[in-house]
Amino acid sequence: WFVVQYDVDMPANNSELLVVDGYFVHFFMPPDDLPPLPLDIVFVLDISGSMSGRKIVQLRDAMSIILDDLRETDRFNILLFDGRVEMWETSLQEAGELNVERAQRYVKGIQTRGSTNLNAALLKGVELLQGS
């Protein structure tokens, strides 16, 4: 047996402690006045033939909403994959108004094609994030 002791100096309304059968989990919520951290995001989008029709329309619509929700402090890029991987830009881009507008135009032009190679796209996405 062992005893875990810890202390967190936070207001009670920003956390919740759940104890069941001798196990516990402590959920923490950031204070309301804490500014959000900038995010580095790589969107990996399937444009293989299986995405044709309604699926690709839904993908374009969802990406339009998501891109509009980016904060100017965020950085992002878009990777398309089917049998190959296509990057929108060669590096992460700041989510300023101009880049978001350019990304919106790019996403509107997405068409389905080819087979599916998710592994290559994910590896390229990880490489992009590690290089940032």
Side-chain angles (χ1 to χ4, degrees):
W1 292 89
F2 61 93
V3 175
V4 176
Q5 293 180 330
Y6 71 100
D7 182 30
V8 180
D9 186 19
M10 295 182 69
N13 62 347
N14 282 355
S15 68
E16 182 178 340
L17 183 64
L18 176 63
V19 180
V20 176
D21 295 330
Y23 296 95
F24 77 96
V25 62
H26 198 156
F27 299 99
F28 298 96
M29 295 173 39
D32 294 335
D33 60 347
L34 186 66
L37 295 173
L39 302 175
D40 286 347
I41 305 167
V42 176
F43 298 103
V44 179
L45 309 179
D46 183 356
I47 61 163
S48 65
S50 66
M51 291 292 292
S52 64
R54 181 179 165 101
K55 293 177 189 175
I56 199 69
V57 171
Q58 289 174 330
L59 174 70
R60 285 190 213 110
D61 291 347
M63 281 303 300
S64 178
I65 293 167
I66 291 167
L67 289 168
D68 281 341
D69 285 344
L70 292 174
R71 296 181 310 268
E72 287 195 7
T73 57
D74 297 335
R75 299 184 313 162
F76 73 104
N77 203 340
I78 302 168
L79 299 183
L80 307 179
F81 75 92
D82 56 345
R84 58 193 167 116
V85 178
E86 177 182 312
M87 291 195 319
W88 171 57
E89 292 291 340
T90 57
S91 63
L92 294 174
Q93 302 296 300
E94 293 181 3
E97 185 176 342
L98 177 63
N99 284 336
V100 170
E101 287 175 4
R102 288 187 323 109
Q104 292 280 14
R105 286 191 300 274
Y106 180 74
V107 166
K108 284 181 184 175
I110 291 174
Q111 300 294 321
T112 58
R113 61 177 193 223
S115 58
T116 305
N117 185 354
L118 175 59
N119 185 59
L122 292 178
L123 291 175
K124 190 65 164 176
V126 168
E127 178 185 317
L128 189 61
L129 287 171
Q130 288 177 336
S132 65

